[in-house]
Amino acid sequence: MPLFVVQKHAARSTHYDFRLETEGVLKSWALPKGPSLDPSQKRLAVFTEDHAMEYARFEGVIAEGQYGAGPVIVWDLGEYRDISKGQDFPKSLETGKLEIWLEGSKLKGGFALFRMGAGDSKNWLLKKMKDEYASPGIEITAASPKSVISGKSIEEIQTGKD
Ligand code: MN
């Protein structure tokens, strides 16, 4: 199964980069507020540039002066399944309507990712589907802030302390 990763990234503003392995690259969206397990929450997800697969497990500090300077942690990581009905994944990306099943440590179950407006719009929304993994009222980013690979917070990565 392909990988998904969510990296918490404290650049000029803190956001969460949501990435899905597709045809050898990581399709990427930046979420200013991060994902939610509450199906009533629709989270803005701004489509950004593809990243290389090697980046999926990157955790560390992007140096000052470089694009995206600031600390990054792997906030969640796992496999995902395409559960869109009747379309292959590239077609779903093109039409702007994805339905995926995540097998992460924090994010589990069905999620819908859909584009707002026309094909050239970068603005998508991410929403938890109603299933056994939905947790109304729980903000998983606040409840579970640390890295799934090192156990460190983004502040600890920034300062280099354990
Ligand atoms: Mn970022």
Side-chain angles (χ1 to χ4, degrees):
M1 292 212 300
L3 279 185
F4 87 93
V5 62
V6 182
Q7 284 158 314
K8 184 177 181 182
H9 182 191
R12 268 175 300 180
S13 60
T14 297
H15 59 274
Y16 293 76
D17 291 301
F18 184 83
R19 310 189 196 279
L20 299 173
E21 177 184 0
T22 311
E23 299 177 314
V25 298
L26 296 167
K27 292 288 170 189
S28 299
W29 290 261
L31 280 68
K33 291 184 72 181
S36 179
L37 292 176
D38 185 339
S40 73
Q41 295 290 314
K42 292 189 184 79
R43 293 295 164 82
L44 177 64
V46 181
F47 194 64
T48 60
E49 67 282 1
D50 294 351
H51 276 57
M53 281 304 301
E54 299 81 70
Y55 194 70
R57 289 177 177 79
F58 173 77
E59 187 163 284
V61 181
I62 300 172
E64 210 58 54
Q66 289 189 9
Y67 180 70
V72 175
I73 60 169
V74 177
W75 181 81
D76 201 14
L77 178 69
E79 294 178 325
Y80 81 94
R81 264 186 300 131
D82 177 16
I83 55 170
S84 305
K85 291 155 206 85
Q87 306 203 113
D88 63 10
F89 198 82
K91 185 71 184 167
S92 299
L93 266 177
E94 199 184 300
T95 56
K97 195 170 186 303
L98 299 175
E99 292 183 333
I100 51 179
W101 185 271
L102 303 181
E103 300 275 0
S105 300
K106 300 173 185 177
L107 301 181
K108 295 179 199 289
F111 285 79
L113 191 54
F114 48 96
R115 189 169 54 219
M116 293 189 285
D120 56 352
S121 171
K122 300 284 182 205
N123 292 337
W124 294 56
L125 291 172
L126 177 70
K127 183 180 166 302
K128 180 77 193 80
M129 292 177 186
K130 289 177 184 163
D131 57 30
E132 67 269 38
Y133 297 109
S135 294
I138 298 289
E139 280 308 334
I140 187 71
T141 52
S144 191
K146 294 187 175 183
S147 165
V148 292
I149 60 174
S150 66
K152 291 181 178 177
S153 68
I154 201 158
E155 294 80 11
E156 286 167 334
I157 291 289
Q158 173 127 60
T159 58
K161 287 184 197 137
D162 286 334

